[in-house]
Amino acid sequence: MKDTLYCIGSVLLSLLLALMSLRYITHVWLLAFVYSFQIHFALAAVAGCLVLLLLKRHWYAYLLLTVAAVLLGHGVIMLREFASPPAAADTPPLFSVMSFNIEHENFSNAGQIAAFIVASNVDVVNILEAAPLRPYIARLSGTYPYRIGCGEEINQCDTLVLSKRPFIEKKVRSLGELWQNRLTYSVIDFEGTKINFLAAHLAKPYFDDFQGDELDDLGSVTGAIDGPLVLTGDFNSAILDPRIQRYIRTTGFQTIFPEPATWPIRARDFGISIDHVLVRPPLRLKSVQRIADNMGSNHFGLIAEFAIDP
């Protein structure tokens, strides 16, 4: 019986580790979910290998354990690769940003979300799938008189950008061919420093190659922007995904380590971060905090504070 269980477990773990290892050979969009959860699956594989060793001390189980440990370690290394050097503790924050995918059918909690946005007192608010907030635009405008979306620049109420300060420049454009008008660009002056902002909402990575096309477009937009830059939004993938890594590496963005987990909400701290706050020097992240209450959304929101190098 132990030999049978050992054989079955060895086969299943071998398949799992083989699927995880494909990222080092080629990118298969059907496996994007596996790539984002590399650390989770690697931990599961390590636990499975330990069970195999309890059943039978065999060299193959030790081999599988070694591969699982390597994949786990490399996953952690990849998360740390883009960690931003922290801003000096005595450097005051220059501005703050909220990024929150509130879920497009979350109408029952829209009033609570609107009240939370006003009470948060952050400088810039990026709301994705913002249709539930359309009835509360007048209320939000009392604190945030400047906006993009929901009747400003575009009537569509999918991506909504709110600001306490006037926009020097603002644009809405599309990424790829699957969804329309899911990228906003704006420039805001903070104490004499012009800060560029991008808010993006990418397709799910297992929708064929649409996300790859969107990242190509986003890379072109990013490369054309000079000066301090903030990119926030729902990427629908963790930084572990090879395509996300390539984009961040090419564009020079940084983030914090570890990023707060934002999905799935039931996993809380044990989930993954598919909602990102990225900065390009001379901007530095002072903090990135997860909003404790998801308020009916299938994502947790984020609030970040930024400083700038002297």
Side-chain angles (χ1 to χ4, degrees):
M1 182 63 176
K2 284 187 176 182
D3 287 342
T4 302
L5 291 175
Y6 177 86
C7 289
I8 293 173
S10 296
V11 170
L12 293 177
L13 286 171
S14 297
L15 289 173
L16 175 60
L17 293 173
L19 291 176
M20 294 170 61
S21 301
L22 276 177
R23 66 173 298 140
Y24 302 104
I25 302 172
T26 184
H27 188 285
V28 182
W29 58 266
L30 283 171
L31 295 178
F33 184 83
V34 176
Y35 300 153
S36 285
F37 278 92
Q38 175 163 330
I39 290 177
H40 295 70
F41 284 126
L43 282 170
V46 167
C49 291
L50 293 176
V51 172
L52 286 183
L53 288 170
L54 289 176
L55 293 172
K56 185 177 182 180
R57 297 293 181 90
H58 190 271
W59 67 268
Y60 192 69
Y62 286 108
L63 175 62
L64 293 178
L65 178 60
T66 301
V67 173
V70 169
L71 290 172
L72 174 61
H74 189 231
V76 175
I77 290 171
M78 287 190 290
L79 287 181
R80 293 185 63 92
E81 178 182 352
F82 307 108
S84 170
D90 58 350
T91 304
L94 182 63
F95 61 92
S96 55
V97 174
M98 178 191 300
S99 179
F100 194 2
N101 183 336
I102 66 170
E103 207 273 316
H104 68 283
E105 294 183 351
N106 191 15
F107 291 94
S108 60
N109 295 283
Q112 179 188 0
I113 294 170
F116 178 82
I117 292 171
V118 171
S120 71
N121 202 37
V122 300
D123 296 290
V124 179
V125 180
N126 297 328
I127 301 295
L128 307 179
E129 300 188 22
L133 290 181
R134 189 184 286 273
Y136 299 91
I137 290 298
R139 178 180 178 183
L140 292 167
S141 296
T143 305
Y144 297 96
Y146 309 99
R147 77 175 188 271
I148 302 172
C150 300
E152 287 290 335
E153 291 296 307
I154 186 172
N155 187 55
Q156 188 177 356
C157 206
D158 186 13
T159 300
L160 173 65
V161 179
L162 305 170
S163 174
K164 290 181 176 180
R165 303 180 183 224
F167 297 109
I168 299 173
E169 188 177 352
K170 55 181 179 177
K171 295 178 183 177
V172 180
R173 61 164 291 172
S174 300
L175 295 172
E177 299 179 354
L178 184 61
W179 303 106
Q180 299 298 307
N181 303 317
R182 280 194 161 185
L183 176 68
T184 66
Y185 168 67
S186 57
V187 183
I188 303 173
D189 185 286
F190 289 94
E191 313 304 333
T193 302
K194 294 180 180 179
I195 307 296
N196 300 277
F197 293 90
L198 290 172
H201 191 180
L202 302 185
K204 292 178 174 58
Y206 36 84
F207 283 3
D208 206 325
D209 284 321
F210 288 111
Q211 191 193 76
D213 295 338
E214 292 175 345
L215 285 169
D216 289 341
D217 290 347
L218 186 58
S220 298
V221 172
T222 305
I225 297 173
D226 293 323
L229 176 60
V230 176
L231 168 59
T232 65
D234 176 10
F235 283 38
N236 274 304
S237 294
I239 279 182
L240 290 171
D241 185 283
R243 286 176 171 171
I244 305 297
Q245 284 202 320
R246 183 170 63 249
Y247 166 75
I248 297 177
R249 193 175 293 117
T250 302
T251 52
F253 276 115
Q254 298 174 337
T255 185
I256 63 166
F257 174 82
E259 292 182 289
T262 59
W263 181 89
I265 56 171
R266 290 187 178 182
R268 302 192 72 84
D269 291 340
F270 298 99
I272 60 174
S273 177
I274 64 173
D275 302 87
H276 303 289
V277 177
L278 306 175
V279 296
R280 195 169 66 189
L283 279 177
R284 300 291 183 193
L285 280 162
K286 281 195 69 74
S287 66
V288 180
Q289 302 292 330
R290 187 176 66 194
I291 297 171
D293 188 352
N294 64 300
M295 291 175 272
S297 173
N298 56 353
H299 292 242
F300 285 107
L302 300 171
I303 293 180
E305 289 185 325
F306 302 81
I308 194 164
D309 287 339

